[in-house]
Amino acid sequence: MILGGASKLTIQEDRRGVDSRYLIYDTGEKVANQRIAFLYEHQLKAFFLSSGFYVTNRQFNNAIPFKVVQYNRSFLGGFLHLEKEQEFFDLNHQFLFGFDIKHQVDDRKNFENEAGEPTDLSLHQDERMQAVGLFFQDQVDLEPFLAM
């Protein structure tokens, strides 16, 4: 038997068989996820405005032989986009100006797995990530200059 899988012979003998270590260590995975989001769109005189905001929280628990991995992850973000269609140099352009922001926090812990129970803490890691982006995009319709 191979940890994390089964040998060809074991599968031929009992396809639904489980390595006894998975039963002893009560392996498995549990995930809970909560999310809320808001979106706002509005046509202004010169631009189309879209904006949004979201918050997500995820709890994760994964027990494997010898180790239990747990984390609580929270992330949130938002955006503001302005779109404008305009003819420019005899071509149709779709301009997009935008701003995006994201923030994430992970509280990650690894424990020793003794007979299905998390025991000694082997890792406690606090991770944080932030991203901010400002962008400009131009989509050009080249159809008037293309011929088949």
Side-chain angles (χ1 to χ4, degrees):
M1 186 70 60
I2 302 168
L3 187 61
S7 68
K8 184 177 179 181
L9 178 62
T10 305
I11 290 173
Q12 289 171 345
E13 289 174 0
D14 183 6
R15 180 166 286 285
R16 296 189 183 270
V18 174
D19 183 338
S20 63
R21 288 174 283 202
Y22 290 106
L23 298 174
I24 293 168
Y25 290 102
D26 192 23
T27 63
E29 182 175 285
K30 296 175 190 160
V31 179
N33 198 56
Q34 304 83 37
R35 181 177 181 133
I36 188 166
F38 300 98
L39 178 63
Y40 177 75
E41 296 179 332
H42 185 70
Q43 181 65 54
L44 302 169
K45 280 187 180 181
F47 294 96
F48 180 75
L49 168 75
S50 62
S51 62
F53 176 76
Y54 63 89
V55 177
T56 303
N57 189 267
R58 179 176 298 144
Q59 298 83 34
F60 177 81
N61 186 6
N62 183 26
I64 58 176
F66 312 113
K67 186 186 290 188
V68 175
V69 177
Q70 297 176 346
Y71 69 77
N72 185 13
R73 174 175 292 161
S74 298
F75 50 101
L76 58 95
F79 66 91
L80 177 68
H81 296 169
L82 295 171
E83 290 182 51
K84 181 172 179 67
E85 293 185 17
Q86 175 101 23
E87 188 174 303
F88 191 63
F89 291 121
D90 295 326
L91 293 171
N92 292 325
H93 292 256
Q94 184 175 357
F95 298 110
L96 176 63
F97 305 92
F99 175 76
D100 294 336
I101 186 165
K102 297 176 179 143
H103 180 75
Q104 178 175 313
V105 176
D106 278 4
D107 181 19
R108 180 179 301 264
K109 296 176 183 172
N110 292 0
F111 298 92
E112 300 299 321
N113 185 347
E114 293 188 20
E117 293 297 320
T119 57
D120 298 332
L121 181 66
S122 60
L123 172 74
H124 186 188
Q125 197 169 302
D126 186 20
E127 299 175 357
R128 296 177 186 278
M129 182 277 303
Q130 292 178 330
V132 177
L134 182 64
F135 66 90
F136 169 75
Q137 175 182 314
D138 182 10
Q139 181 177 325
V140 181
D141 181 6
L142 298 174
E143 186 178 347
F145 296 101
L146 301 177
M148 297 189 115

